[in-house]
Amino acid sequence: MTPPLDGFRIIEGSAFVAAPSGGMALAQLGADVIRFDQIGGGLDARRWPLTAEGESLYWAGLNKGKRSIAADLRSERAQELLAELIGVAGTFLTNFPARGWTSYPALQQRRADLVMLAVTGNRDGSTALDYTVNAAMGYPLATGPVDSTEPVNHVLPAWDLICGQTAALGLLAADRRRLLSGRGALLNLALSDVALAAVAALGHVAEAQVNGAGRGRFGNDLYGAYGAEFTTADAVRVYVVGISPKQWSSLLEATESTAAVSAIAEAQGLDFGNEGHRFEARTEVSAAIRPWIASRTIAEVAARFDELGVCWGRYQTFQQLVDHDPRCSADGGLFQEVDQPQIGRYLSPGSPLAFDGALAVEPAPAPRLGEHTEEILAEDLGLSPAEIGSLRDSGTVA
């Protein structure tokens, strides 16, 4: 089928995670995303994880399906060419400082209805990264063992990833407004604002304001409902959740603990139809469930849980995910093998959005740095072979 974003072109000047992930989300739905970089690579061209040969799996992972142009970004001629390219495309995504030739007023001179989204660390333009933003959001002091007083950082750059998806949504919203009104837009998106909005949406800000107390530490227990960690007879750790009535009843039936849990509710005067009451009695409930899981292997637990529709998951390493999880395979519907230049063949996902039950666009590899430089100069900017040769000889482009 025709990709849903066919014909939508975005120029991307970026580094780190937020902006590149936003551009990739659009590319995986069929947009033509052209990323420009300094000749030889920018800040993230060699970021870990690396292959044994030193190729960045990080860079390859965040730039799937894009085109790449490499130029000397210090060169005025290169800046003119990139500004012209942005004007031709009409949409620009960046987390580089939006000043000088990349400022909105300068670029708008080339296209009045330009849509530009600038990602910053903080709303005032000061620098921030996911890790510094997360430190201020409260989560590191609500994560970790119950009796710990030390902050625990997560290794997932959650705010970056949410920021990238917000950026993609913002560009689509601005493009729709442009289609309806002919107006361009400058969109500013601060990473810390993305985090603050998410923390507030989940009730943490209001909880501290209204109740006068913030969230405490509860270890791996699910706050306000029932979710707990268990270990099987063969030392495999699993996590089970009972939020909806069906999840709750299936869990009790599967672990043969319905009667014991009902006795707990009666003894404490609780109604386990109320998920908050399940949280209050989580220690006693887990004690009733634990013997059944602890006396069975993971194979036995998995078969019983799946048979009765229990909501559960198995703790596993990245290696176990790749080696054993059928969802992370060419048969799972999301991944396909791609031939990544300079790295080789490996599984790569398309967009998690399925259109009519299928991937919107077949998974594509990330480009080699500067792979499409001459193609873009010729086809998108209309330069002649002689002009391109002169730019290459002068070191203006790769």
Side-chain angles (χ1 to χ4, degrees):
M1 66 178 181
T2 301
L5 295 184
D6 185 50
F8 186 34
R9 186 180 301 174
I10 303 105
I11 310 303
E12 177 190 312
S14 67
F16 305 115
V17 176
S21 66
M24 185 184 67
L26 297 169
Q28 290 187 310
L29 293 175
D32 179 17
V33 180
I34 300 173
R35 171 174 173 147
F36 65 79
D37 283 279
Q38 176 64 32
I39 294 172
L43 291 170
D44 51 358
R46 293 170 184 82
R47 185 160 291 139
W48 288 19
L50 305 174
T51 67
E53 294 76 26
E55 297 295 330
S56 175
L57 295 167
Y58 172 103
W59 198 89
L62 284 169
N63 293 290
K64 296 186 288 289
K66 301 176 186 178
R67 293 196 286 163
S68 171
I69 179 171
D72 180 4
L73 302 184
R74 297 175 294 269
S75 161
E76 290 187 6
R77 178 59 177 143
Q79 293 170 5
E80 291 173 2
L81 288 169
L82 293 172
E84 183 179 352
L85 185 63
I86 291 169
V88 170
T91 305
F92 181 37
L93 168 63
T94 188
N95 64 338
F96 294 158
R99 56 176 180 259
W101 73 274
T102 59
S103 70
Y104 187 72
L107 292 170
Q108 198 180 30
Q109 292 178 15
R110 298 177 181 270
R111 177 142 180 179
D113 66 347
L114 175 70
V115 167
M116 173 176 167
L117 191 147
V119 177
T120 60
N122 294 306
R123 179 178 282 260
D124 62 4
S126 58
T127 186
L129 292 176
D130 185 285
Y131 312 99
T132 60
V133 168
N134 188 57
M137 292 300 122
Y139 285 109
L141 294 171
T143 301
V146 174
D147 56 356
S148 173
T149 59
E150 299 299 317
V152 177
N153 290 336
H154 56 68
V155 297
L156 173 71
W159 309 125
D160 274 338
L161 294 171
I162 299 171
C163 186
Q165 301 309 299
T166 305
L169 176 62
L171 289 175
L172 291 175
D175 184 62
R176 175 171 172 78
R177 190 181 78 161
R178 178 170 54 186
L179 289 172
L180 295 175
S181 69
R183 296 167 55 196
L186 169 62
L187 292 83
N188 295 292
L189 180 63
L191 179 66
S192 59
D193 282 357
V194 169
L196 287 165
V199 171
L202 294 171
H204 300 305
V205 172
E207 182 181 32
Q209 289 181 320
V210 175
N211 295 343
R215 184 71 48 87
R217 271 196 165 107
F218 298 102
N220 284 341
D221 291 337
L222 176 60
Y223 176 76
Y226 185 78
E229 172 194 342
F230 297 94
T231 303
T232 65
D234 47 354
V236 176
R237 292 188 175 186
V238 299
Y239 199 81
V240 300
V241 174
I243 296 180
S244 72
K246 177 64 168 64
Q247 291 170 356
W248 177 246
S249 61
S250 296
L251 173 61
L252 300 185
E253 180 182 357
T255 57
E256 300 174 1
S257 57
T258 302
V261 170
S262 295
I264 294 169
E266 183 176 354
Q268 297 190 20
L270 299 174
D271 174 12
F272 285 160
N274 181 320
E275 61 187 60
H277 287 191
R278 300 173 204 159
F279 177 75
E280 292 175 11
R282 63 192 182 281
T283 300
E284 295 83 357
V285 169
S286 294
I289 291 174
R290 185 169 290 108
W292 188 93
I293 297 176
S295 63
R296 288 164 175 80
T297 66
I298 183 60
E300 294 171 316
V301 170
R304 178 69 168 170
F305 280 2
D306 291 343
E307 176 190 359
L308 294 178
V310 174
C311 185
W312 74 288
R314 172 178 177 166
Y315 286 95
Q316 56 189 11
T317 65
F318 295 126
Q319 192 66 55
Q320 290 170 327
L321 170 68
V322 171
D323 291 344
H324 305 298
D325 197 316
R327 296 169 296 184
C328 190
S329 72
D331 299 324
L334 179 64
F335 287 84
Q336 292 182 19
E337 274 204 348
V338 300
D339 191 1
Q340 179 61 48
Q342 301 170 299
I343 293 177
R345 294 188 66 81
Y346 62 89
L347 288 170
S348 183
S351 170
L353 285 169
F355 281 71
D356 300 318
L359 293 174
V361 178
E362 294 292 310
R368 296 189 306 276
L369 185 68
E371 177 180 349
H372 304 97
T373 298
E374 295 191 14
E375 170 190 307
I376 292 166
L377 294 175
E379 298 179 6
D380 294 77
L381 292 181
L383 272 61
S384 68
E387 290 173 310
I388 294 172
S390 176
L391 290 170
R392 187 177 58 242
D393 292 342
S394 67
T396 304
V397 301

